[in-house]
Amino acid sequence: MSLRDANIIIIEVSRTTVRAGLGLFDLLKTPSVDIPARVGLRRSSLHENGQDENLASTSASTSRATSLFPQSSHPSAAVKDYLVGTQLDEALAEGQDIIVSWPFADGNVSDWTQAEAIWKYILFTALQRRRVQNESPVILSIPTESTNRNSAERICQIFFERFNVPGFALLERPIAHLYAASIHGLSGVIVDIGDEVTDITPIYDGFIQQHAKDSVKIGMRHCEEYLVGLLKTNTSVMNALAPAGTDVNQEQLHQTLLELVRQLWREDTIKIPSDGETAVQEDEGVTDIAAVVVAGREKAVIESGMKKKLTAKASAAEQARAREIEALDLITVEFKGQSLTLGKERHRFCEPLFDPSLVARSAISAKVQADRPPPLQDHVGHCVGRTDVDCRQYIWQGLIVTGPITRHVKGAGIGVALQSRLAPFIAGPEIQSDVQARSIRVLNVPDYYAEYRETGNGYSAFLGSSITAKIVFSQDPNSKNFVSKADYTAKGPHSIIEMTPAFL
């Protein structure tokens, strides 16, 4: 491995997360840095700078504030005033009065000082680079909203003038997903499921179809709230977390159930049914689970349900009962010192993506119903439908569903569930046309990327950025697609425009 490969830095920025890693290896590694894309500012520092109190009244001091990802701008604040990463985590844990802001939450850069603070933390604190004699070229992948010419030039200026990098390249994040899937022709549609926004990006022949990309305001947060609503009907769970006769704060109970839901999907206990399948039969499971728990038989029931074969001596009644137990799909989870038994309702986690009307039961329904987002499958179909008709058959051959949830819902997962629901957008066999798409192909990160086998598509943008870095920072001068320090000295920030294919 050359010294250049060992020093290359990959930074991937999404709406809510920043990931980074140092060095390119024969076996591409997952990111060593994975932090929320947020900054914190002590409210006291605003008074010291004489900033207006009204500007500083932004609600925050938690990563899950009412607005979830609040954005605020403080013109008098400098880069050094902002807390990032572990610095911010520690300040919040100590209960300090902190204003939290998410500068990339709307897909663009809402505050350049805050963005610079995050990138500075990544380079010089997390990856321990030195500004003086900086030998680490950087490839930065960012959302498509940030890849306009003015933003690209400003980003380039920050990395050369503030961070003193020897080389810099910019990559549109959806393109990185296609590289990770090793797709030939670089055509596909990326469905990136975030916390409260899902981005849909059709790509043809390596170029984002800007007129066709769109976002729908529904995401994992709505799925979490929906499952919280379902768990409130689970008698055994509610008896454990809110025993009858006790005075329970409903807001605290709601937050406790949210923690349980996040534990459930992060522990890989959720699977997604395809169209036509159902996760829970009507009136199934809830009453039976409660009865099992009350009787103290949940361990025996679960062990029985895990048996794959029935003994030859079992009676017909015993076999029928065993099949019934297995159909309940019960699990026991340890949560806050208690053992909770859950059934198939957990598999309904992603239903709001495909039917947003279900969110009417959740605590955040008012906002969602006001926006009235369409089902995800309809939105994806309409986005691809806005591309040229002769491009669609190639775009449909690369359906990639990504986002944090895909790290934990693997196997068939959300991609196959979405694929089955997209069937109405594909031509039937009776239509005879060379340009009509007749199938949809779901793509995932290939298994031969050993470090990524257990991460689903959750790290696909980082993997794709690493693959791109191997190509961009190669020693072949004829394949140069990055800005060197000499290029920047000669042409300034505009040099990034000439070296980025998306702008040509």
Side-chain angles (χ1 to χ4, degrees):
M1 185 192 336
S2 68
L3 180 62
R4 190 183 190 92
D5 286 340
N7 286 328
I8 290 173
I9 289 176
I10 303 97
I11 302 177
E12 177 226 333
V13 177
S14 70
R15 290 175 181 265
T16 59
T17 305
V18 180
R19 302 182 179 99
L22 172 64
L24 294 176
F25 306 86
D26 293 335
L27 189 64
L28 294 176
K29 295 185 176 181
T30 54
S32 59
V33 179
D34 191 341
I35 63 172
R38 61 180 183 174
V39 298
L41 186 65
R42 292 185 176 91
R43 199 178 297 271
S44 59
S45 66
L46 295 175
H47 297 298
E48 294 172 3
N49 293 332
Q51 189 159 334
D52 184 78
E53 174 67 22
N54 292 331
L55 188 63
S57 62
T58 308
S59 66
S61 84
T62 172
S63 63
R64 293 274 174 172
T66 302
S67 55
L68 193 62
F69 303 113
Q71 292 180 310
S72 58
S73 183
H74 310 284
S76 66
V79 171
K80 63 181 178 61
D81 295 326
Y82 285 106
L83 304 175
V84 185
T86 55
Q87 304 164 345
L88 177 55
D89 294 339
E90 292 170 1
L92 292 173
E94 293 171 2
Q96 298 183 28
D97 191 5
I98 304 293
I99 299 172
V100 175
S101 184
W102 302 74
F104 307 111
D106 62 358
N108 212 324
V109 180
S110 63
D111 188 295
W112 288 99
T113 303
Q114 295 173 4
E116 182 179 334
I118 291 176
W119 293 327
K120 179 182 177 182
Y121 174 87
I122 292 289
L123 291 173
F124 304 131
T125 301
L127 298 180
Q128 299 183 334
R129 299 293 91 191
R130 295 188 306 164
R131 188 185 185 282
V132 179
Q133 297 180 337
N134 189 345
E135 298 179 348
S136 292
V138 173
I139 184 168
L140 175 71
S141 65
I142 54 177
T144 55
E145 289 81 355
S146 302
T147 50
N148 59 72
R149 291 182 174 231
N150 291 336
S151 294
E153 290 184 5
R154 188 158 186 176
I155 293 171
C156 182
Q157 183 178 14
I158 289 173
F159 274 84
F160 277 104
E161 296 185 12
R162 303 288 290 176
F163 304 149
N164 193 34
V165 297
F168 181 73
L170 204 56
L171 177 66
E172 293 172 298
R173 194 165 173 269
I175 299 292
H177 290 296
L178 283 181
Y179 275 114
S182 301
I183 183 173
H184 298 291
L186 288 181
S187 296
V189 56
I190 311 301
V191 181
D192 191 351
I193 302 172
D195 274 81
E196 58 182 11
V197 176
T198 295
D199 295 308
I200 302 163
T201 311
I203 302 170
Y204 176 69
D205 199 20
F207 289 93
I208 291 175
Q209 304 300 290
Q210 298 289 346
H211 64 286
K213 69 182 180 67
D214 208 344
S215 299
V216 58
K217 292 183 178 179
I218 194 165
M220 285 176 54
R221 185 191 184 197
H222 308 98
C223 297
E224 291 174 344
E225 294 280 358
Y226 174 62
L227 187 51
V228 165
L230 294 181
L231 291 181
K232 286 181 178 179
T233 67
N234 186 317
T235 308
S236 66
V237 171
M238 295 304 293
N239 286 340
L241 300 181
T246 60
D247 186 13
V248 178
N249 183 299
Q250 291 301 313
E251 184 176 346
Q252 290 181 350
L253 175 61
H254 189 83
Q255 290 301 316
T256 299
L257 288 170
L258 271 177
E259 292 179 31
L260 173 59
V261 167
R262 288 168 191 150
Q263 178 177 320
L264 287 175
W265 68 258
R266 286 170 180 159
E267 291 184 350
D268 304 347
T269 66
I270 290 173
K271 63 182 180 181
I272 310 300
S274 298
D275 193 22
E277 298 179 348
T278 56
V280 181
Q281 296 294 328
E282 186 174 350
D283 295 330
E284 179 189 24
V286 174
T287 302
D288 290 343
I289 295 171
V292 168
V293 174
V294 170
R297 297 189 299 109
E298 64 267 29
K299 183 176 180 180
V301 169
I302 292 169
E303 289 176 351
S304 298
M306 293 175 63
K307 293 180 180 179
K308 300 299 182 181
K309 295 182 180 180
L310 300 173
T311 61
K313 297 181 179 180
S315 67
E318 289 172 335
Q319 293 180 18
R321 178 56 182 163
R323 286 192 294 268
E324 179 184 348
I325 291 172
E326 187 173 358
L328 288 176
D329 193 8
L330 301 183
I331 60 169
T332 294
V333 297
E334 296 299 323
F335 178 72
K336 292 184 177 295
Q338 299 188 68
S339 294
L340 303 179
T341 301
L342 301 165
K344 297 175 72 173
E345 72 265 35
R346 68 188 187 277
H347 300 316
R348 301 181 66 180
F349 179 80
C350 286
E351 283 185 357
L353 296 175
F354 308 120
D355 185 3
S357 66
L358 295 173
V359 189
R361 308 175 191 174
S362 74
I364 55 174
S365 60
K367 181 179 184 303
V368 177
Q369 292 301 311
D371 294 334
R372 293 194 178 277
L376 182 58
Q377 61 270 24
D378 290 356
H379 213 84
V380 173
H382 293 322
C383 284
V384 176
R386 289 199 290 265
T387 63
D388 293 341
V389 66
D390 55 346
C391 300
R392 296 172 197 167
Q393 61 177 319
Y394 303 103
I395 293 174
W396 281 127
Q397 290 303 298
L399 173 62
I400 300 176
V401 180
T402 184
I405 186 60
T406 61
R407 290 178 55 192
H408 302 277
V409 179
K410 299 183 282 290
I414 305 176
V416 171
L418 179 59
Q419 176 194 38
S420 63
R421 291 167 171 84
L422 285 168
F425 295 93
I426 302 301
E430 69 280 358
I431 297 180
Q432 300 297 323
S433 173
D434 292 338
V435 298
Q436 289 290 339
R438 289 180 172 79
S439 64
I440 299 173
R441 182 185 178 198
V442 177
L443 296 179
N444 297 298
V445 172
D447 286 341
Y448 51 74
Y449 292 112
E451 296 286 322
Y452 291 82
R453 286 175 186 163
E454 300 302 320
T455 64
N457 288 343
Y459 285 152
S460 58
F462 186 84
L463 172 60
S465 301
S466 302
I467 295 169
T468 305
K470 276 184 170 288
I471 301 170
V472 167
F473 294 117
S474 69
Q475 298 296 329
D476 184 0
N478 296 322
S479 63
K480 183 178 176 184
N481 284 307
F482 70 95
V483 178
S484 66
K485 187 171 290 187
D487 295 328
Y488 187 82
T489 301
K491 300 180 180 180
H494 186 73
S495 55
I496 191 66
I497 304 301
E498 300 178 6
M499 294 297 180
T500 305
F503 298 129
L504 298 180

